[in-house]
Amino acid sequence: METTAATDTFFTRKLAAKGQPLIFAGPCSAETEAQVLTTAWALKDLGVDLFRSGIWKPRTRPGSFEGIGTVGLKWLQRVRTEVGIPVTVEVATPRHVEEALAHDVDVLWIGARTTVNPFAVQELADALAGTGVPVMVKNPVNPDVALWAGALERLERAGIRDLAAIHRGFSTFAPSRYRNAPTWQIAIELKTRFPHIPLICDPSHMGGKRDLILPIAQKALDLDYDGLIIETHPDPDHALSDAEQQVTPARLGEILGELKYRYRSSNNADYINNAEELRQKMDVADREIVEALARRMALVEELAEYKRENNVKILQLDRWNEIFTSRPEWAAKLHVNEKFVAELYKLIHLESIRKQTEVLNRPE
């Protein structure tokens, strides 16, 4: 789908005025009026650009705290008018949209459990059409860039141009130090498809623990993200939801102070010349890699012809195990990341199987 670059939006205006990544913060859930306002006043002193808080919080399983409901929207109105910070809430149904807008919520966001469902996204797009409200879209729970892109496209087709994407990580069955694995390449792929849409990182949901917020946030800034959204609570240990991943406003201030903001480029002549020279050398190296892959695939095809002539099966498990063991070992000796090379050879192996299958099943 062709996308229209929106150059003047809530997010781009704030980015232009601030000149550095945006910071969105607030509690996972609005619990009491005092909690909301106490947090908001503390965040105002830190220069936070948008106050976030969950009002409706359906959990994975029923029985835990599922949000204070519509009454919390009145507390957010006080944050807007008294504290002076714009506010944002998650919406999952057209009724949520109606109630949030009736209470002057500045920005809405669509959560990961909603993004994964195109039916729900379309209902929200229909409800949001013509409202002019900015919308942020979290990545789906599944590591699927098409679902994320599809949600943004549905909103754009409904005429909504004031958009941002939130990268909060993906669910995985594999053991991980993260609550939701970052899988950075999916967010980078989304950014290449929608370069006009700001990309925000949610290190709270990604890490699931306070001590992971800083390193995740730093990596996001190093990858040129446009902002961070960090869950902040005056008493995180006693929060009614996601206690382990929330930080106090004081700790948030420390995190923001420790972050390193890097330039997108440099006017330094030595940097420009050396960077260009290294990029040219990388181009040559990449060409050599592609040529080596072409030679390998030619050998694979030649081997497949012999297998075909001798009626031999494609998969030779002993040979594959030998390759999968030896190549990472070679990499380690050359100071190349072993896991990277292992993953690379999985892809090479899949392509080799595809090519051999093509040869063995070629018509006589």
Side-chain angles (χ1 to χ4, degrees), residues 144-173:
D144 185 343
V145 71
L147 279 173
W148 200 1
L152 291 166
E153 289 168 350
R154 288 179 186 279
L155 293 167
E156 287 191 328
R157 287 188 177 187
I160 299 154
R161 295 288 182 264
D162 209 332
L163 292 168
I166 300 176
H167 178 204
R168 50 81 80 187
F170 302 88
S171 294
T172 175
F173 290 111

mmCIF file of all heavy atoms in Angstrom, residues 144-173:
data_model
loop_
_atom_site.group_PDB
_atom_site.id
_atom_site.type_symbol
_atom_site.label_atom_id
_atom_site.label_comp_id
_atom_site.label_asym_id
_atom_site.label_seq_id
_atom_site.Cartn_x
_atom_site.Cartn_y
_atom_site.Cartn_z
ATOM 1 N N ASP A 144 5.419 -10.699 14.071
ATOM 2 C CA ASP A 144 4.937 -10.677 12.691
ATOM 3 C C ASP A 144 4.849 -9.225 12.225
ATOM 4 O O ASP A 144 3.945 -8.489 12.627
ATOM 5 C CB ASP A 144 3.571 -11.361 12.623
ATOM 6 C CG ASP A 144 3.034 -11.506 11.213
ATOM 7 O OD1 ASP A 144 3.537 -10.814 10.309
ATOM 8 O OD2 ASP A 144 2.105 -12.302 11.013
ATOM 9 N N VAL A 145 5.782 -8.814 11.382
ATOM 10 C CA VAL A 145 5.791 -7.425 10.932
ATOM 11 C C VAL A 145 4.568 -7.111 10.078
ATOM 12 O O VAL A 145 4.091 -5.964 10.051
ATOM 13 C CB VAL A 145 7.100 -7.103 10.165
ATOM 14 C CG1 VAL A 145 7.132 -7.796 8.819
ATOM 15 C CG2 VAL A 145 7.287 -5.603 10.006
ATOM 16 N N ALA A 146 4.018 -8.111 9.391
ATOM 17 C CA ALA A 146 2.855 -7.869 8.538
ATOM 18 C C ALA A 146 1.636 -7.457 9.356
ATOM 19 O O ALA A 146 0.866 -6.578 8.940
ATOM 20 C CB ALA A 146 2.543 -9.120 7.722
ATOM 21 N N LEU A 147 1.432 -8.063 10.530
ATOM 22 C CA LEU A 147 0.307 -7.672 11.382
ATOM 23 C C LEU A 147 0.460 -6.236 11.864
ATOM 24 O O LEU A 147 -0.508 -5.468 11.904
ATOM 25 C CB LEU A 147 0.220 -8.610 12.596
ATOM 26 C CG LEU A 147 -0.458 -9.956 12.385
ATOM 27 C CD1 LEU A 147 -0.296 -10.826 13.627
ATOM 28 C CD2 LEU A 147 -1.935 -9.773 12.063
ATOM 29 N N TRP A 148 1.673 -5.875 12.243
ATOM 30 C CA TRP A 148 1.951 -4.514 12.721
ATOM 31 C C TRP A 148 1.724 -3.511 11.592
ATOM 32 O O TRP A 148 1.033 -2.493 11.765
ATOM 33 C CB TRP A 148 3.388 -4.460 13.213
ATOM 34 C CG TRP A 148 3.737 -3.352 14.147
ATOM 35 C CD1 TRP A 148 2.919 -2.367 14.638
ATOM 36 C CD2 TRP A 148 5.030 -3.109 14.729
ATOM 37 N NE1 TRP A 148 3.609 -1.533 15.478
ATOM 38 C CE2 TRP A 148 4.903 -1.977 15.540
ATOM 39 C CE3 TRP A 148 6.263 -3.759 14.622
ATOM 40 C CZ2 TRP A 148 5.989 -1.458 16.258
ATOM 41 C CZ3 TRP A 148 7.339 -3.262 15.330
ATOM 42 C CH2 TRP A 148 7.205 -2.117 16.146
ATOM 43 N N ALA A 149 2.299 -3.818 10.435
ATOM 44 C CA ALA A 149 2.132 -2.940 9.273
ATOM 45 C C ALA A 149 0.662 -2.861 8.864
ATOM 46 O O ALA A 149 0.150 -1.776 8.523
ATOM 47 C CB ALA A 149 2.979 -3.454 8.108
ATOM 48 N N GLY A 150 -0.029 -4.004 8.929
ATOM 49 C CA GLY A 150 -1.436 -4.017 8.547
ATOM 50 C C GLY A 150 -2.288 -3.114 9.423
ATOM 51 O O GLY A 150 -3.212 -2.445 8.938
ATOM 52 N N ALA A 151 -1.992 -3.080 10.721
ATOM 53 C CA ALA A 151 -2.742 -2.199 11.628
ATOM 54 C C ALA A 151 -2.528 -0.734 11.245
ATOM 55 O O ALA A 151 -3.485 0.060 11.203
ATOM 56 C CB ALA A 151 -2.307 -2.448 13.069
ATOM 57 N N LEU A 152 -1.290 -0.368 10.963
ATOM 58 C CA LEU A 152 -1.009 1.015 10.556
ATOM 59 C C LEU A 152 -1.698 1.346 9.231
ATOM 60 O O LEU A 152 -2.249 2.438 9.057
ATOM 61 C CB LEU A 152 0.503 1.218 10.439
ATOM 62 C CG LEU A 152 1.265 1.189 11.771
ATOM 63 C CD1 LEU A 152 2.764 1.047 11.526
ATOM 64 C CD2 LEU A 152 0.987 2.450 12.591
ATOM 65 N N GLU A 153 -1.688 0.394 8.314
ATOM 66 C CA GLU A 153 -2.331 0.625 7.017
ATOM 67 C C GLU A 153 -3.838 0.792 7.164
ATOM 68 O O GLU A 153 -4.448 1.627 6.481
ATOM 69 C CB GLU A 153 -2.003 -0.530 6.075
ATOM 70 C CG GLU A 153 -0.556 -0.532 5.613
ATOM 71 C CD GLU A 153 -0.152 -1.824 4.931
ATOM 72 O OE1 GLU A 153 -0.929 -2.817 4.973
ATOM 73 O OE2 GLU A 153 0.955 -1.851 4.363
ATOM 74 N N ARG A 154 -4.459 0.008 8.043
ATOM 75 C CA ARG A 154 -5.906 0.153 8.259
ATOM 76 C C ARG A 154 -6.241 1.543 8.789
ATOM 77 O O ARG A 154 -7.231 2.161 8.383
ATOM 78 C CB ARG A 154 -6.414 -0.928 9.222
ATOM 79 C CG ARG A 154 -6.451 -2.312 8.618
ATOM 80 C CD ARG A 154 -6.936 -3.383 9.589
ATOM 81 N NE ARG A 154 -6.803 -4.702 8.994
ATOM 82 C CZ ARG A 154 -7.671 -5.229 8.146
ATOM 83 N NH1 ARG A 154 -8.766 -4.553 7.824
ATOM 84 N NH2 ARG A 154 -7.462 -6.436 7.636
ATOM 85 N N LEU A 155 -5.405 2.037 9.689
ATOM 86 C CA LEU A 155 -5.632 3.380 10.232
ATOM 87 C C LEU A 155 -5.409 4.446 9.159
ATOM 88 O O LEU A 155 -6.183 5.412 9.063
ATOM 89 C CB LEU A 155 -4.717 3.608 11.435
ATOM 90 C CG LEU A 155 -5.040 2.740 12.662
ATOM 91 C CD1 LEU A 155 -3.906 2.790 13.666
ATOM 92 C CD2 LEU A 155 -6.340 3.194 13.321
ATOM 93 N N GLU A 156 -4.359 4.266 8.366
ATOM 94 C CA GLU A 156 -4.106 5.242 7.299
ATOM 95 C C GLU A 156 -5.251 5.247 6.290
ATOM 96 O O GLU A 156 -5.654 6.306 5.806
ATOM 97 C CB GLU A 156 -2.783 4.943 6.603
ATOM 98 C CG GLU A 156 -1.569 5.303 7.462
ATOM 99 C CD GLU A 156 -0.265 5.250 6.689
ATOM 100 O OE1 GLU A 156 -0.148 4.418 5.761
ATOM 101 O OE2 GLU A 156 0.645 6.044 7.020
ATOM 102 N N ARG A 157 -5.794 4.082 5.979
ATOM 103 C CA ARG A 157 -6.922 4.013 5.041
ATOM 104 C C ARG A 157 -8.170 4.676 5.607
ATOM 105 O O ARG A 157 -9.048 5.109 4.856
ATOM 106 C CB ARG A 157 -7.221 2.557 4.685
ATOM 107 C CG ARG A 157 -6.198 1.941 3.756
ATOM 108 C CD ARG A 157 -6.630 0.578 3.269
ATOM 109 N NE ARG A 157 -5.681 0.030 2.319
ATOM 110 C CZ ARG A 157 -5.865 -1.087 1.632
ATOM 111 N NH1 ARG A 157 -6.967 -1.793 1.821
ATOM 112 N NH2 ARG A 157 -4.952 -1.512 0.780
ATOM 113 N N ALA A 158 -8.260 4.737 6.926
ATOM 114 C CA ALA A 158 -9.388 5.420 7.576
ATOM 115 C C ALA A 158 -9.145 6.924 7.672
ATOM 116 O O ALA A 158 -9.946 7.640 8.282
ATOM 117 C CB ALA A 158 -9.617 4.841 8.970
ATOM 118 N N GLY A 159 -8.031 7.390 7.087
ATOM 119 C CA GLY A 159 -7.751 8.819 7.068
ATOM 120 C C GLY A 159 -6.950 9.307 8.248
ATOM 121 O O GLY A 159 -6.791 10.519 8.439
ATOM 122 N N ILE A 160 -6.430 8.389 9.051
ATOM 123 C CA ILE A 160 -5.666 8.786 10.240
ATOM 124 C C ILE A 160 -4.203 8.889 9.838
ATOM 125 O O ILE A 160 -3.572 7.908 9.463
ATOM 126 C CB ILE A 160 -5.858 7.758 11.367
ATOM 127 C CG1 ILE A 160 -7.345 7.695 11.737
ATOM 128 C CG2 ILE A 160 -5.022 8.116 12.589
ATOM 129 C CD1 ILE A 160 -7.763 6.390 12.332
ATOM 130 N N ARG A 161 -3.649 10.076 9.916
ATOM 131 C CA ARG A 161 -2.269 10.323 9.502
ATOM 132 C C ARG A 161 -1.350 10.621 10.681
ATOM 133 O O ARG A 161 -0.142 10.562 10.557
ATOM 134 C CB ARG A 161 -2.223 11.499 8.517
ATOM 135 C CG ARG A 161 -2.925 11.220 7.202
ATOM 136 C CD ARG A 161 -2.121 10.247 6.359
ATOM 137 N NE ARG A 161 -2.744 9.996 5.060
ATOM 138 C CZ ARG A 161 -3.526 8.972 4.801
ATOM 139 N NH1 ARG A 161 -3.805 8.106 5.766
ATOM 140 N NH2 ARG A 161 -4.044 8.784 3.610
ATOM 141 N N ASP A 162 -1.937 10.954 11.830
ATOM 142 C CA ASP A 162 -1.143 11.310 13.012
ATOM 143 C C ASP A 162 -0.842 10.030 13.784
ATOM 144 O O ASP A 162 -1.529 9.679 14.741
ATOM 145 C CB ASP A 162 -1.922 12.298 13.877
ATOM 146 C CG ASP A 162 -1.011 13.220 14.668
ATOM 147 O OD1 ASP A 162 0.120 12.795 14.979
ATOM 148 O OD2 ASP A 162 -1.414 14.352 14.965
ATOM 149 N N LEU A 163 0.200 9.320 13.353
ATOM 150 C CA LEU A 163 0.479 7.988 13.867
ATOM 151 C C LEU A 163 1.884 7.875 14.435
ATOM 152 O O LEU A 163 2.801 8.592 14.029
ATOM 153 C CB LEU A 163 0.328 6.954 12.744
ATOM 154 C CG LEU A 163 -1.074 6.714 12.187
ATOM 155 C CD1 LEU A 163 -0.996 5.904 10.905
ATOM 156 C CD2 LEU A 163 -1.940 6.007 13.216
ATOM 157 N N ALA A 164 2.039 6.942 15.383
ATOM 158 C CA ALA A 164 3.350 6.517 15.863
ATOM 159 C C ALA A 164 3.269 5.016 16.113
ATOM 160 O O ALA A 164 2.182 4.464 16.337
ATOM 161 C CB ALA A 164 3.745 7.257 17.137
ATOM 162 N N ALA A 165 4.407 4.352 16.068
ATOM 163 C CA ALA A 165 4.476 2.919 16.352
ATOM 164 C C ALA A 165 5.252 2.711 17.645
ATOM 165 O O ALA A 165 6.251 3.393 17.886
ATOM 166 C CB ALA A 165 5.164 2.185 15.200
ATOM 167 N N ILE A 166 4.775 1.790 18.484
ATOM 168 C CA ILE A 166 5.462 1.464 19.742
ATOM 169 C C ILE A 166 5.994 0.046 19.657
ATOM 170 O O ILE A 166 5.250 -0.912 19.445
ATOM 171 C CB ILE A 166 4.513 1.588 20.958
ATOM 172 C CG1 ILE A 166 3.980 3.012 21.083
ATOM 173 C CG2 ILE A 166 5.250 1.183 22.237
ATOM 174 C CD1 ILE A 166 2.968 3.183 22.213
ATOM 175 N N HIS A 167 7.298 -0.086 19.861
ATOM 176 C CA HIS A 167 7.956 -1.392 19.879
ATOM 177 C C HIS A 167 8.064 -1.842 21.331
ATOM 178 O O HIS A 167 8.828 -1.268 22.100
ATOM 179 C CB HIS A 167 9.342 -1.250 19.234
ATOM 180 C CG HIS A 167 10.140 -2.506 19.219
ATOM 181 N ND1 HIS A 167 11.517 -2.501 19.152
ATOM 182 C CD2 HIS A 167 9.782 -3.821 19.262
ATOM 183 C CE1 HIS A 167 11.962 -3.738 19.150
ATOM 184 N NE2 HIS A 167 10.929 -4.558 19.224
ATOM 185 N N ARG A 168 7.290 -2.873 21.706
ATOM 186 C CA ARG A 168 7.279 -3.346 23.094
ATOM 187 C C ARG A 168 7.759 -4.777 23.232
ATOM 188 O O ARG A 168 7.675 -5.391 24.280
ATOM 189 C CB ARG A 168 5.895 -3.178 23.733
ATOM 190 C CG ARG A 168 4.731 -3.713 22.919
ATOM 191 C CD ARG A 168 4.506 -5.184 23.030
ATOM 192 N NE ARG A 168 3.795 -5.541 24.246
ATOM 193 C CZ ARG A 168 3.586 -6.760 24.666
ATOM 194 N NH1 ARG A 168 4.044 -7.777 23.964
ATOM 195 N NH2 ARG A 168 2.919 -7.005 25.768
ATOM 196 N N GLY A 169 8.288 -5.335 22.132
ATOM 197 C CA GLY A 169 8.808 -6.692 22.171
ATOM 198 C C GLY A 169 7.747 -7.728 21.872
ATOM 199 O O GLY A 169 6.550 -7.429 21.816
ATOM 200 N N PHE A 170 8.207 -8.991 21.701
ATOM 201 C CA PHE A 170 7.338 -10.057 21.213
ATOM 202 C C PHE A 170 7.383 -11.264 22.148
ATOM 203 O O PHE A 170 8.434 -11.603 22.698
ATOM 204 C CB PHE A 170 7.783 -10.483 19.815
ATOM 205 C CG PHE A 170 7.768 -9.354 18.818
ATOM 206 C CD1 PHE A 170 8.886 -8.547 18.662
ATOM 207 C CD2 PHE A 170 6.643 -9.081 18.077
ATOM 208 C CE1 PHE A 170 8.878 -7.495 17.757
ATOM 209 C CE2 PHE A 170 6.626 -8.029 17.171
ATOM 210 C CZ PHE A 170 7.749 -7.233 17.011
ATOM 211 N N SER A 171 6.253 -11.919 22.282
ATOM 212 C CA SER A 171 6.190 -13.133 23.086
ATOM 213 C C SER A 171 6.987 -14.248 22.414
ATOM 214 O O SER A 171 7.024 -14.343 21.190
ATOM 215 C CB SER A 171 4.740 -13.592 23.263
ATOM 216 O OG SER A 171 4.021 -12.659 24.030
ATOM 217 N N THR A 172 7.612 -15.082 23.232
ATOM 218 C CA THR A 172 8.390 -16.193 22.699
ATOM 219 C C THR A 172 8.388 -17.332 23.700
ATOM 220 O O THR A 172 8.326 -17.101 24.917
ATOM 221 C CB THR A 172 9.839 -15.765 22.403
ATOM 222 O OG1 THR A 172 10.591 -16.915 21.996
ATOM 223 C CG2 THR A 172 10.504 -15.143 23.620
ATOM 224 N N PHE A 173 8.433 -18.551 23.200
ATOM 225 C CA PHE A 173 8.516 -19.715 24.078
ATOM 226 C C PHE A 173 9.957 -20.003 24.476
ATOM 227 O O PHE A 173 10.212 -20.747 25.419
ATOM 228 C CB PHE A 173 7.916 -20.942 23.382
ATOM 229 C CG PHE A 173 6.423 -20.865 23.223
ATOM 230 C CD1 PHE A 173 5.845 -20.706 21.975
ATOM 231 C CD2 PHE A 173 5.587 -20.937 24.326
ATOM 232 C CE1 PHE A 173 4.462 -20.626 21.828
ATOM 233 C CE2 PHE A 173 4.209 -20.862 24.195
ATOM 234 C CZ PHE A 173 3.649 -20.703 22.940
#
